[in-house]
Structure formats: structure tokens, C-alpha cells
Amino acid sequence: MGRAKPSTRISDDRRREVDLAHAVDTALTRLDVVEAIPIGPDAAADDAAIEAFVGGLDAPVEVNVAANVNGNGSGGGERAAALPVPPIRLNLVTLDGIEVTQAVQDIGHSVPLVAGKATIVRVYLKFPAPVEVRGELQAARSATGPWTPIPSIGPAQLDPARAGGTLAQLRSRRADLRFSLNFRLPATLTGPGPVFLRMSAVRRTTGTPLPSVAGIQVRSVTFARPATLRVRLVRMIYTMAGRTFQPTATDASLFGSWLGRAYPTDRLLLSTGTATANPSAPFDAAQINAQLIALRAVDVGTGTDPRTHYYGMVSDGGFFMRGLASGIPQTPAPGTVASGPTGSSTFGWDNDGSYGDWYGGHELGHTFGRFHAEFCGAIGGAPYPFPNGQLSGPDEAFVGIDVGDPALGLPLKLMGSVAAHDVMTYCNSQWLSSFTYGAIYQRLVAENALAAGAGAEGMAMVQDRDSVPAAVGDARPAGIRIIGSVNLTGAAGSISAVLPAAPGVAGAADEPGDAVPAGPDGHQLSIRLLDADGEPIDERPAAFLPSSCEDPDQDVTGVLDSVVPVPSGASAVEVLLDGAVLDRRPIGGPVSRTADLRPGVADAGPTPDGGRQLSWEVPDAPAGQRYAVQLSDDGGASWRTVAVDLARPEVRLAADELAGPAGEPLLARLLAVTGLSGAVLSTDPVTPG
């Protein structure tokens, strides 16, 4: 016979405490109606509620209900009540507050709770003796149930010195996850509308129950409408000093995870692709942004949801490209793009392996209309409500929390009130404040209300190459869209793409003429159209979007994005700054009717990523013809653009672009663009190896 397990002896007081806990639990289960009280700063259970409950029990016993049970600093100290156990002096667990948070919150729940987003419930309990506890929360979509039990994520330390339900009394517990019982709400309970919460059993970590009246009252919060966030992450590839650089898979996965955790969205529709940077390294973000605008125009013209934001990510392995957005729109404008660097630097506080996540969150914030919070060197901002760029004022009313990502090994983490800073600052420990979170949520809701179909932002396309007219004059688009980058300080710039504009694209409003009105900083930026003899036939101001995030000692840069009508006979377009030509591009001519993929898919070069090179034969192409390449791994149901404005019909595909779903062939198609028309020339299957 094996050795018997020794018996465990507990004190009479502990045994009676357990008996009392069972009695209280039994009484709570008999309650048919429990008042539902919206969660707020004065939502702690009060003396009257506890006395009414305890007074309804049967046998007499003296119970020490701690002073200040209502959490507002008042209380009557000890009092006698009838309980169905022998006379002893025991204490009850009471409730000081419940806080429901998704990224940042105050105890009054002024920050909107987004339906469907990962949600943490923090429960603040009080007990007159130090004890470590676990607990169970019950949640329901109705005040009367049915109730779903939810176990706490871990234990909590109950400390008599940390008691009360006011903001000041809760401060020390809100500032440390160890002093609250924390629960993760199931996704089924975070849909739009109210959810009702009440505490259930509270146990010592040894497993023995504690007598608790924390569940006497039901608290409720309401989840607002969901808000989908659509982002296309373009990992830019560039070569420098004979080496090829691109962001890693870790950079991409952490970027997506951070947006899902920090941004006010229930659903992140993130697509990721690669593209080779058209400008030579070292380039600036304005040049990458111009390429992104062109990529996006081709994508939207061929089916991508126009509510999608585009972000370009650049590895810092060769050089550091400071991030910029192509403007800060004050109305919904998903076409505003941004780009920024990534790498493994910790910046002194970020230790997850990539800083591209929060850096990208900052630049994307500009595309949602957010200005800088002018702290730690950030300039060009707008008023911000909290000192030093913090998430809260000195009262620590707002607390940030990161719900974590178990798939990436990222734990639930407190961001704090004054130690963390808003993502639109240049400070350390960045997160979203209530100020930024709420504003981005409102912008997301507005963007989600926009039309979903391909529209005016996209390139005008002729999908069937057989329908492409032989002469340009047979198919005139609504206009041509000229996209480029400009350095006002250096008096330099280049055209990134000239695309046929879809109907409805807004262009420069000024009438053509010799005198072009002054533009940014007094400069005159204009677009000129020339005939076949090089004679000007039209000139008008260009739309210039200055870059965000530039310091006073940096060059003033931005993107040019204008649509102009095309007069008959136009054969070239020029971009001018103060009368000097920055760049010139031929336009027009009949689109080539044929293109054939060259036989064989050869190795792309010395880089070890397993990429491949594709090239097509395109005879009789006009001088102004440029090319875009798209890929599909769903049989052509959807397409993603991997290259745009190619002077030659060839592209290098990164290895991850070749790894489509098993059993689905990868399709590549070549698009030709003359500025005045665009057409699909060739669609071909591609073998990965």
C-alpha cells in the first residue's frame, strides 16, 4: 500500500469562513432581480445594499463589514447582521469598482468601447485582511441572464490599505495589474449593445472560498458600433552597397498585432505585400509615398476597397528613412498614404524585436487626421489635453492597457497613466491616449460609411486588351493623374506615375493660363502639357501635399497629386517649380496590343531570399508606355499590385510573393499605361521554382 496523503487541518475560524462563504453564495443564487447599475465613478455597492442583503439571511452572527464599504470615504465601521452560522467575527469581500477597458479607459467609461474588440474587465475588491485571491466574473447580454462564468486571468492581491471606490482610492490598484482581478471577455459578449457584469465566487489562491457580497449588484456598459480598419502594408525592397534590404516577417506581424491591440478597431483587414522601391537609395519618405499613391491607384482601379490605407515600411538595414505622411486630412481621406522605417532598435523602451509597429501607428495616425502632440521634440501639432504628452493628467484618471497577443508571446501589460505617452508625440513608451483613440474611432466610423466599390480614386482601366482602341483619340479618359514627389528646399522633384484618371477624380480647379497662382511657401508648382512639337498647350497649378513630421532643419518635401484634363494633341507632361522644369514624361500613343512572358523563370540575383525575375516581350511599345505588374493567388478573383511605373516590362518577385495558398496557381499579369489609357496586356501562370 502506498503512503497515504496527510490530512490537512484548518482552523475553526477558517472553516467557519468557508461555511459563511457558502451561505452567502446560496443566498445570492436565490435573488431573482438584481439592480443593473451603469458603471461609473460612484458605482461601488453601498451600505444600504449590503445591509438589505445581509439582513435577509436567517440565523444570527456578528459580521465585521469593513468601514467605507461604499467606497466613498464614509462608513459606519462594524455593525451586526443576521447570518445562518454560529456567532463568529468574520469579514466580507466587497466591491469597490469595475473597469472595462480595451486600450485606454477611465473609471467613468468615457472612452468608447468598440464592439468586437478584445476587452479586459478589471474588478477592484476590498477585504479587511491581506489575502491573495482568484475569482469568477459572470457576464450576460441581459440583466437577468443567462450568465456566462469567466475565470480570472490570474490572482489579485487584496490589501486593506488599498480600499475605496473613488478615483483617488482606486489609483494604486489601477496602476498595478496585481491589485485587480482581471478577466478577458469572450468575443460572444462584446457585440454592439449592453453587457451586464457581476462578481461571482471569490477564493483564496489555496482554493478555499471567501465570503463575498461583491456580486450583490449588476453593472452594465454598452459597446458602440464596430469599426473595421483596412490597411495595406507594403514592405519596400531596396539595394544599397550591393546588399538587398527589406522588412522582415517579424516586422510585419508585430505591426499588424500592434494596430489590432492599440487602435479602436474590432477587425483589422491587413494585407501585406512587397514592392521594389523605384527611387535609388537613400531616398526619402515623400518619394516612397508618391510610389504608394500610384500603387494604390492601380489597386483601387482593379478592385481594392478604396477605404484601404496604404503604409510603406522600409528596413533601416541600409539607411534610416525618417517616416512621413502625405498630409493630415481633416475629413475622411483613406487615400492619404504614409511610410516609415523599421528595425530591431529598442529606442530605450521597446523590447519586442521591432519598432516598426508603433512607428507605423504614429504615421498612420496622421492619415486619420491626427496632428502631433507637441512633446519630446514633436512640432507642427495641435492642442493636447494632458501634460508632457502623457495618457492622463496628474489625477491619473486614464490608464492605458495592452491586451497582449499570446500568439506572439506578448502578455497583458499595463501602459500606465503618466509613464506612457501618446503615439502622436516623439516620447518614449508610446500608446494611444483617450484623446487620440476617440478621434481615430470617429474617423474610422466615418470612413466605414464611405462607398466600398472601386471609384474615383482608382486608375481608369480597360480590362480586356482586345477592347483597347488602336488610336489614343478613340478613348479619352476623364483626365490624367500626375503623381510625383517634390523637394521644395532642394528645388528637385520627379514624376512617379502618369495614370488615366477615373471619372470623378478632383483636379486642379484653376483655369489654364500663363500665370500660375503661388503655391506652398510662395512657390509656384505647376503642370504643363505639351504638343508633339514641344509647344505648351495648357498649364495649371498642381495639387501639393506637404509631408508631415518634418523638422524646421529638414527640407520641405511632399507629394504632387493632380488630375488635369487632356486637350487634343497633348503628347508630354512637365512638372515645374517656379518656372523650372523638374521632370518631363511623354504620354499617349497606342497601347501595345501584345505581350508574351519570356520562357523560363530565372533566379533573380544574388540575394538569398529565393525571389524570381519575370519579364515580357512587348513589341512596338510607344515611348511613353510604362508598366505595372499584379499578382493573384485566388485564380484572378483579386489582384495586388507589386510594381508600378516600370520603364521596362520586367519585375523581381520577392520569395514571400511566390508562396500562395496550396493548390492555387500564382497568376501574374502585365498592365500597360500610356497616361491616357491603361490595359491588361498579358495574364500568365507563374511557377515558384
Side-chain angles (χ1 to χ4, degrees):
M1 174 180 285
R3 181 177 178 181
K5 181 179 178 181
S7 60
T8 302
R9 299 186 62 184
I10 60 174
S11 66
D12 288 343
D13 281 355
R14 181 64 55 83
R15 183 178 294 106
R16 290 172 180 175
E17 181 182 76
V18 172
D19 292 340
L20 177 60
H22 290 315
V24 173
D25 286 344
T26 300
L28 284 172
T29 60
R30 294 201 305 263
L31 293 178
D32 294 326
V33 180
V34 184
E35 183 180 4
I37 301 178
I39 296 177
D42 300 317
D46 59 16
D47 286 329
I50 294 176
E51 289 174 355
F53 171 75
V54 174
L57 301 178
D58 300 327
V61 63
E62 285 198 341
V63 177
N64 174 22
V65 179
N68 304 327
V69 292
N70 62 354
N72 61 11
S74 64
E78 300 181 3
R79 53 188 177 277
L83 290 174
V85 291
I88 54 173
R89 295 184 64 84
L90 288 175
N91 301 297
L92 296 173
V93 175
T94 55
L95 178 70
D96 280 338
I98 296 179
E99 180 178 354
V100 184
T101 181
Q102 295 175 326
V104 62
Q105 193 57 273
D106 61 356
I107 60 175
H109 293 84
S110 65
V111 181
L113 293 168
V114 181
K117 183 174 173 63
T119 304
I120 299 295
V121 179
R122 302 185 68 188
V123 177
Y124 305 104
L125 300 174
K126 176 173 55 181
F127 192 68
V131 63
E132 185 177 66
V133 301
R134 290 181 178 268
E136 182 179 273
L137 181 73
Q138 292 185 326
R141 300 317 302 253
S142 164
T144 57
W147 299 92
T148 298
I150 306 167
S152 58
I153 296 172
Q157 303 286 339
L158 304 190
D159 180 353
R162 304 170 192 266
T166 67
L167 175 61
Q169 291 167 332
L170 288 170
R171 179 181 298 177
S172 65
R173 284 173 283 175
R174 297 181 73 225
D176 194 326
L177 289 171
R178 295 174 301 174
F179 294 106
S180 60
L181 269 180
N182 306 309
F183 305 85
R184 193 180 298 268
L185 278 186
T188 54
L189 293 170
T190 61
V195 65
F196 298 85
L197 305 166
R198 71 181 185 192
M199 273 302 297
S200 182
V202 178
R203 296 177 177 273
R204 297 176 183 269
T205 51
T206 59
T208 58
L210 279 174
S212 170
V213 292
I216 284 181
Q217 291 174 301
V218 176
R219 311 296 169 80
S220 69
V221 291
T222 299
F223 286 90
R225 71 177 71 179
T228 300
L229 172 60
R230 300 167 179 86
V231 177
R232 172 71 170 166
L233 173 64
V234 182
R235 294 190 287 159
M236 306 303 300
I237 304 171
Y238 67 92
T239 301
M240 196 171 185
R243 296 180 58 195
T244 299
F245 302 94
Q246 74 177 74
T248 66
T250 297
D251 292 318
S253 60
L254 286 172
F255 171 79
S257 176
W258 193 93
L259 287 180
R261 296 175 350 248
Y263 264 51
T265 180
D266 64 301
R267 187 180 181 207
L268 173 64
L269 296 181
L270 176 67
S271 60
T272 302
T274 58
T276 298
N278 287 348
S280 299
F283 40 74
D284 60 42
Q287 293 172 290
I288 296 301
N289 288 344
Q291 183 176 346
L292 288 174
I293 292 172
L295 279 166
R296 186 180 184 279
V298 177
D299 276 344
V300 171
T302 54
T304 293
D305 193 320
R307 296 172 294 181
T308 304
H309 288 249
Y310 274 54
Y311 182 72
M313 184 177 281
V314 177
S315 168
D316 65 7
F319 74 106
F320 182 84
M321 185 202 76
R322 183 166 182 169
L324 302 171
S326 63
I328 305 176
Q330 294 310 290
T331 57
T336 306
V337 304
S339 58
T342 192
S344 59
S345 173
T346 67
F347 277 74
W349 59 272
D350 176 17
N351 298 304
D352 64 6
S354 174
Y355 65 83
D357 45 12
W358 55 265
Y359 202 118
H362 173 103
E363 298 302 339
L364 277 177
H366 288 310
T367 74
F368 286 100
R370 307 315 304 151
F371 290 95
H372 280 153
E374 294 183 321
F375 301 95
C376 305
I379 63 169
Y384 181 76
F386 307 122
N388 306 314
Q390 299 163 179
L391 300 189
S392 184
D395 60 357
E396 300 184 31
F398 292 93
V399 174
I401 193 167
D402 182 347
V403 300
D405 187 339
L408 296 176
L410 302 176
L412 176 70
K413 182 174 69 172
L414 199 71
M415 298 305 296
S417 295
V418 297
H421 303 86
D422 187 75
V423 73
M424 301 312 297
T425 69
Y426 284 174
C427 303
N428 290 341
S429 301
Q430 291 196 3
W431 197 242
L432 267 67
S433 68
S434 57
F435 177 74
T436 298
Y437 189 91
I440 291 180
Y441 173 70
Q442 294 301 326
R443 178 62 62 88
L444 268 177
V445 169
E447 288 188 359
N448 275 269
L450 299 176
E457 293 182 63
M459 178 181 76
M461 280 293 300
V462 179
Q463 295 292 341
D464 180 1
R465 76 177 185 185
D466 292 332
S467 68
V468 179
V472 173
D474 294 338
R476 189 151 309 273
I480 58 171
R481 184 177 183 180
I482 299 98
I483 302 166
S485 61
V486 178
N487 184 319
L488 296 180
T489 306
S494 62
I495 296 173
S496 298
V498 180
L499 305 174
V505 181
D510 299 83
E511 293 296 324
D514 294 333
V516 177
D521 296 333
H523 291 282
Q524 292 181 338
L525 187 65
S526 60
I527 293 171
R528 178 188 293 165
L529 295 172
L530 310 174
D531 64 17
D533 296 324
E535 295 297 323
I537 54 176
D538 186 21
E539 184 172 348
R540 61 187 64 223
F544 179 78
L545 300 171
S547 301
S548 65
C549 291
E550 288 181 332
D551 289 341
D553 59 347
Q554 290 184 291
D555 288 356
V556 177
T557 68
V559 296
L560 176 154
D561 188 6
S562 280
V563 174
V564 298
V566 184
S568 179
S571 64
V573 60
E574 293 178 334
V575 173
L576 297 86
L577 179 62
D578 299 331
V581 177
L582 298 181
D583 201 2
R584 185 177 187 272
R585 181 76 64 85
I587 59 174
V591 174
S592 299
R593 302 294 298 277
T594 60
D596 297 307
L597 185 67
R598 288 177 180 162
V601 183
D603 287 329
T607 57
D609 66 352
R612 311 312 250 191
Q613 186 86 15
L614 295 182
S615 61
W616 288 262
E617 293 281 359
V618 184
D620 304 321
Q625 184 160 294
R626 297 283 174 129
Y627 303 94
V629 177
Q630 294 184 309
L631 300 179
S632 174
D633 51 22
D634 57 10
S638 63
W639 294 91
R640 61 185 184 274
T641 305
V642 295
V644 69
D645 202 55
L646 299 172
R648 298 170 57 86
E650 57 187 34
V651 65
R652 185 189 188 288
L653 301 180
D656 54 1
E657 294 289 3
L658 300 170
E664 284 287 351
L666 181 69
L667 298 179
R669 70 180 183 183
L670 181 70
L671 284 62
V673 181
T674 66
L676 296 177
S677 61
V680 176
L681 295 189
S682 179
T683 301
D684 306 277
V686 178
T687 56

